[in-house]
Amino acid sequence: MTTDDSNPDPDSDSDPDPLATAQSILRDVQTAPTAVDVATLHEALEADDPSVRRSALSALRVVASRDPPLFRAEFAGDLEDVHSLCADPDVTVRTAGADLLTTIAADPVGDPPDGTLDPISALLADDSRLVERETLKGLQRIGSAAPDRVRPFADAVAPFLETDDPTIRKHAVVVLAQVASVDGSSVADVASTLFELFERGDGEGEGEGEPEIVTPATSDVRRSTDIRQRFESVDRDQLSRRRLVRRYSGHAICQLAVANPDAVTPMIESLSSLLADPDPDPDPQIRTVAAETVLALAESRPSAVVPYRRTLADRLEADDVERVRGRLAQVLSALGIDEPDAVGACVVDRTDALRPLLDHDDPPIRGAAANLLALAASAVADPTVEMETDTEMDVSATDIVSPVEDRLEALLKDDAAFVRAAASDALASGTRESGMGEPETGESGSRNREQGQE
């Protein structure tokens, strides 16, 4: 006689379906993370079935993302189990572990529990690209909230710049740019690779239309340490991967130039070529970051930048983006500290481009424009200075200053002392030829000053 087992006794004991258990755990947490069954999740982390372990990790991620204080109160003690699961034989479990740990560490309000990111270096060395990709993506998420937390992983991330996986490379570039925002020198060892990516991008997105350019909320993004502010415009654009990689690489190089200018000085010729007529880079944000990087070098290594002053002056006159023109005015003004005659001689025929910058919202740019007008007026008033112009000019110091004399006089009351001093210099240079008295400002101006420093 054959026994029919197709309809077993419903009262008999049977193990629940592991997949159903996993789905139930995750569904319940997504619906009400504050009502999570702590005991069930603890048990699920040690389940035999990888789908249950993975779902338990995913459920914990929901809790960590939506209610970080609850996670720290109820599950911080489970980190040792989570760390063990980051070495799980199942690749999806390791991936979920990386996602959970980086979510915990990305909390912008509270500090993550000690040791949260201990397995990250091992995850970055995983033999699965899925795990590497998720780990780098998670580090990028952390860096957006707290870039100092990803700084310890710069050396482990750097090799991914050479990977043949464009998505992984993109995440690596972003993470290194975030690290550079708090420690520019940390990317010195990969400066050449980053600069290659800055120049050519990722090779992806060729032929795509120009993206909409969104202006950052603040003008002096080069000096910003707020990573979310610094990359706001980049994140909001619908960029091709190529352009995104170029921009983040450029930001990393710019921060390196501030922290370690000697590492970037050899790149000055290539940087100037991105700004050079007749074929400057078409992306305004690339031109902007190139100008900001040159500014960092002009302030610390001016002798390396002076030979390119004509190229920079040409771009100051020709660029259609005010932020680029403003940065280049700062560059030339910084060069004028050591080379006042040479800089004045090369901007004397570009004063029309300088005058609108006197009304710029950014004090360093207003000061730079006034200072360059002073240098130009002084240069034409000195018969020993040879003009660096394409055509012979018959212009006097008064001709340079008089069209904006009223505006310069208004700047004598500017809130920034260095702007007042630059305006005073410009007015004095413009009146010197005519024998008029110099303006009285109550403070001494000097062409050879540190621009933008009180």
Side-chain angles (χ1 to χ4, degrees):
M1 181 177 178
T2 303
T3 302
D4 185 0
D5 294 328
S6 62
N7 186 23
D9 183 355
D11 294 329
S12 63
D13 292 335
S14 60
D15 293 332
D17 177 21
L19 183 58
T21 300
Q23 292 173 339
S24 176
I25 292 170
L26 187 53
R27 184 170 55 251
D28 291 346
V29 171
Q30 289 172 333
T31 302
T34 58
V36 61
D37 186 333
V38 176
T40 299
L41 271 180
H42 285 316
E43 183 179 344
L45 289 172
E46 300 177 357
D48 292 334
D49 192 290
S51 65
V52 179
R53 300 195 299 273
R54 180 182 68 247
S55 291
L57 291 168
S58 297
L60 286 174
R61 182 197 182 281
V62 173
V63 177
S65 175
R66 297 187 186 178
D67 196 339
L70 174 63
F71 180 88
R72 288 193 291 269
E74 298 289 348
F75 298 104
D78 290 312
L79 279 178
E80 186 174 344
D81 291 335
V82 175
H83 289 174
S84 297
L85 292 175
C86 287
D88 195 275
D90 187 277
V91 64
T92 63
V93 174
R94 300 198 302 277
T95 303
D99 193 19
L100 169 57
L101 293 180
T102 53
T103 298
I104 296 168
D107 177 14
V109 178
D111 291 330
D114 291 342
T116 297
L117 297 177
D118 286 353
I120 292 297
S121 294
L123 289 167
L124 289 172
D126 199 279
D127 57 6
S128 166
R129 286 199 168 181
L130 179 64
V131 175
E132 292 176 339
R133 189 179 299 120
E134 191 62 43
T135 304
L136 285 164
K137 182 180 178 181
L139 286 175
Q140 179 179 330
R141 190 164 57 242
I142 297 170
S144 294
D148 56 300
R149 295 178 192 169
V150 296
R151 177 166 35 180
F153 305 104
D155 289 343
V157 171
F160 290 105
L161 295 177
E162 306 284 357
T163 184
D164 58 1
D165 185 317
T167 301
I168 288 178
R169 185 166 53 249
K170 177 193 71 174
H171 290 314
V173 167
V174 174
V175 171
L176 290 174
Q178 291 166 336
V179 172
S181 73
V182 292
D183 181 11
S185 60
S186 63
V187 298
D189 289 344
V190 290
S192 59
T193 303
L194 284 170
F195 195 80
E196 287 177 9
L197 291 170
F198 176 48
E199 283 191 293
R200 63 175 174 79
D202 221 15
E204 299 285 335
E206 297 285 3
E208 296 182 7
E210 291 294 321
E212 177 186 359
I213 303 302
V214 182
T215 302
T218 59
S219 57
D220 201 5
V221 292
R222 182 178 64 86
R223 301 182 190 280
S224 174
T225 58
D226 184 338
I227 197 71
R228 287 163 293 183
Q229 171 183 299
R230 182 173 176 76
F231 296 134
E232 178 184 358
S233 62
V234 179
D235 290 337
R236 290 187 303 187
D237 285 346
Q238 297 301 313
L239 298 176
S240 68
R241 179 184 294 115
R242 177 176 181 267
R243 289 192 172 92
L244 186 145
V245 167
R246 290 192 71 197
R247 294 177 187 184
Y248 275 98
S249 298
H251 285 302
I253 289 294
C254 185
Q255 290 298 322
L256 176 59
V258 174
N260 183 2
D262 290 335
V264 183
T265 299
M267 305 168 187
I268 181 60
E269 182 175 0
S270 296
L271 284 166
S272 66
S273 70
L274 294 172
L275 300 165
D277 287 328
D279 190 28
D281 195 279
D283 188 333
Q285 289 196 12
I286 294 298
R287 297 199 305 277
T288 299
V289 76
E292 290 172 346
T293 305
V294 174
L295 174 56
L297 297 178
E299 292 174 335
S300 58
R301 301 293 184 273
S303 61
V305 183
V306 165
Y308 302 95
R309 61 188 181 276
R310 289 297 304 275
T311 295
L312 302 174
D314 288 344
R315 178 56 24 203
L316 166 64
E317 183 179 37
D319 208 281
D320 58 359
V321 176
E322 185 181 54
R323 195 161 78 255
V324 177
R325 297 196 302 272
R327 290 290 174 259
L328 291 174
Q330 287 182 266
V331 170
L332 291 166
S333 183
L335 297 180
I337 294 172
D338 291 334
E339 297 286 347
D341 292 341
V343 171
C346 82
V347 299
V348 70
D349 59 344
R350 297 172 174 87
T351 54
D352 287 345
L354 292 171
R355 289 166 184 149
L357 296 178
L358 294 172
D359 297 312
H360 201 279
D361 291 337
D362 197 356
I365 293 177
R366 294 198 301 273
N371 189 51
L372 288 174
L373 289 172
L375 295 177
S378 293
V380 298
D382 186 345
T384 66
V385 177
E386 183 177 352
M387 297 298 103
E388 297 182 10
T389 58
D390 294 330
T391 59
E392 186 174 346
M393 296 187 63
D394 183 14
V395 62
S396 68
T398 302
D399 294 333
I400 290 173
V401 174
S402 60
V404 287
E405 186 173 355
D406 290 346
R407 184 70 193 100
L408 289 168
E409 288 178 350
L411 289 180
L412 295 177
K413 300 178 182 179
D414 197 275
D415 291 339
F418 61 87
V419 176
R420 298 194 298 269
S424 176
D425 280 353
L427 289 167
S429 298
T431 58
R432 192 170 296 145
E433 284 182 330
S434 62
M436 297 172 60
E438 296 186 3
E440 295 182 3
T441 65
E443 55 190 289
S444 60
S446 171
R447 292 187 300 170
N448 297 336
R449 71 176 62 84
E450 292 289 342
Q451 295 302 309
Q453 302 295 319
E454 293 284 3

